[in-house]
Short mmCIF file of all heavy atoms in Angstrom, two decimals:
data_model
loop_
_atom_site.label_atom_id
_atom_site.label_comp_id
_atom_site.label_asym_id
_atom_site.label_seq_id
_atom_site.Cartn_x
_atom_site.Cartn_y
_atom_site.Cartn_z
N VAL A 4 88.86 93.70 56.53
CA VAL A 4 90.06 93.93 55.74
C VAL A 4 90.56 92.56 55.27
O VAL A 4 90.72 91.65 56.08
CB VAL A 4 91.15 94.63 56.57
CG1 VAL A 4 92.46 94.68 55.80
CG2 VAL A 4 90.70 96.03 56.94
N LEU A 5 90.73 92.43 53.96
CA LEU A 5 91.20 91.17 53.40
C LEU A 5 92.69 91.22 53.16
O LEU A 5 93.20 92.22 52.64
CB LEU A 5 90.49 90.91 52.05
CG LEU A 5 89.37 89.87 52.09
CD1 LEU A 5 88.28 90.37 53.01
CD2 LEU A 5 88.86 89.62 50.69
N PHE A 6 93.39 90.17 53.56
CA PHE A 6 94.83 90.15 53.30
C PHE A 6 95.29 88.74 53.03
O PHE A 6 94.54 87.77 53.20
CB PHE A 6 95.58 90.79 54.47
CG PHE A 6 95.33 90.14 55.81
CD1 PHE A 6 96.12 89.08 56.24
CD2 PHE A 6 94.31 90.58 56.62
CE1 PHE A 6 95.90 88.49 57.46
CE2 PHE A 6 94.08 89.99 57.85
CZ PHE A 6 94.87 88.94 58.28
N ARG A 7 96.56 88.64 52.61
CA ARG A 7 97.10 87.32 52.26
C ARG A 7 98.32 86.98 53.08
O ARG A 7 99.12 87.84 53.45
CB ARG A 7 97.47 87.30 50.77
CG ARG A 7 96.34 86.89 49.86
CD ARG A 7 96.77 86.97 48.43
NE ARG A 7 97.05 88.37 48.04
CZ ARG A 7 98.03 88.70 47.21
NH1 ARG A 7 98.82 87.78 46.68
NH2 ARG A 7 98.22 89.96 46.89
N LEU A 8 98.43 85.69 53.38
CA LEU A 8 99.68 85.10 53.83
C LEU A 8 100.06 84.20 52.67
O LEU A 8 99.43 83.16 52.48
CB LEU A 8 99.47 84.26 55.09
CG LEU A 8 99.28 84.97 56.42
CD1 LEU A 8 99.02 83.97 57.52
CD2 LEU A 8 100.51 85.79 56.75
N GLU A 9 101.04 84.63 51.86
CA GLU A 9 101.32 83.92 50.60
C GLU A 9 100.03 83.82 49.79
O GLU A 9 99.40 84.82 49.52
CB GLU A 9 101.93 82.55 50.88
CG GLU A 9 103.36 82.63 51.36
CD GLU A 9 104.27 83.38 50.40
OE1 GLU A 9 104.59 82.83 49.33
OE2 GLU A 9 104.64 84.53 50.70
N LYS A 10 99.58 82.57 49.51
CA LYS A 10 98.39 82.43 48.66
C LYS A 10 97.09 82.46 49.47
O LYS A 10 96.03 82.74 48.92
CB LYS A 10 98.45 81.08 47.92
CG LYS A 10 99.64 80.93 46.99
CD LYS A 10 99.31 81.48 45.62
CE LYS A 10 100.47 81.30 44.66
NZ LYS A 10 101.69 82.00 45.12
N ASP A 11 97.22 82.12 50.78
CA ASP A 11 96.00 81.99 51.58
C ASP A 11 95.41 83.34 51.95
O ASP A 11 96.13 84.27 52.27
CB ASP A 11 96.29 81.20 52.86
CG ASP A 11 96.87 79.83 52.54
OD1 ASP A 11 96.50 79.29 51.46
OD2 ASP A 11 97.69 79.33 53.33
N ARG A 12 94.06 83.37 51.92
CA ARG A 12 93.38 84.64 52.20
C ARG A 12 92.79 84.66 53.60
O ARG A 12 92.20 83.68 54.05
CB ARG A 12 92.28 84.88 51.16
CG ARG A 12 92.85 85.33 49.85
CD ARG A 12 91.84 85.25 48.74
NE ARG A 12 92.55 85.22 47.47
CZ ARG A 12 92.97 86.33 46.85
NH1 ARG A 12 92.73 87.51 47.36
NH2 ARG A 12 93.60 86.23 45.70
N TYR A 13 92.94 85.80 54.26
CA TYR A 13 92.44 85.99 55.62
C TYR A 13 91.68 87.30 55.71
O TYR A 13 91.81 88.15 54.83
CB TYR A 13 93.61 86.02 56.62
CG TYR A 13 94.29 84.69 56.78
CD1 TYR A 13 95.27 84.26 55.89
CD2 TYR A 13 93.93 83.84 57.82
CE1 TYR A 13 95.89 83.04 56.03
CE2 TYR A 13 94.53 82.60 57.98
CZ TYR A 13 95.51 82.21 57.07
OH TYR A 13 96.10 80.99 57.22
N ALA A 14 90.92 87.42 56.78
CA ALA A 14 90.18 88.66 56.98
C ALA A 14 90.09 89.00 58.47
O ALA A 14 90.09 88.11 59.31
CB ALA A 14 88.77 88.53 56.40
N LEU A 15 90.06 90.30 58.76
CA LEU A 15 89.85 90.79 60.14
C LEU A 15 88.83 91.92 60.06
O LEU A 15 88.80 92.67 59.08
CB LEU A 15 91.16 91.35 60.69
CG LEU A 15 92.08 90.38 61.42
CD1 LEU A 15 93.48 90.97 61.53
CD2 LEU A 15 91.53 90.03 62.79
N PRO A 16 87.97 92.05 61.08
CA PRO A 16 86.98 93.14 61.06
C PRO A 16 87.69 94.49 60.93
O PRO A 16 88.68 94.75 61.61
CB PRO A 16 86.28 93.03 62.41
CG PRO A 16 86.62 91.69 62.95
CD PRO A 16 87.89 91.25 62.29
N LEU A 17 87.18 95.33 60.06
CA LEU A 17 87.77 96.65 59.81
C LEU A 17 87.86 97.46 61.11
O LEU A 17 88.83 98.18 61.36
CB LEU A 17 86.92 97.40 58.78
CG LEU A 17 87.40 98.80 58.40
CD1 LEU A 17 88.78 98.76 57.77
CD2 LEU A 17 86.41 99.45 57.43
#
Side-chain angles (χ1 to χ4, degrees):
Chain A
V4 172
L5 256 63
F6 58 89
R7 272 177 294 144
L8 284 177
E9 288 304 287
K10 299 272 182 300
D11 303 329
R12 284 166 200 277
Y13 290 84
L15 270 163
L17 180 62

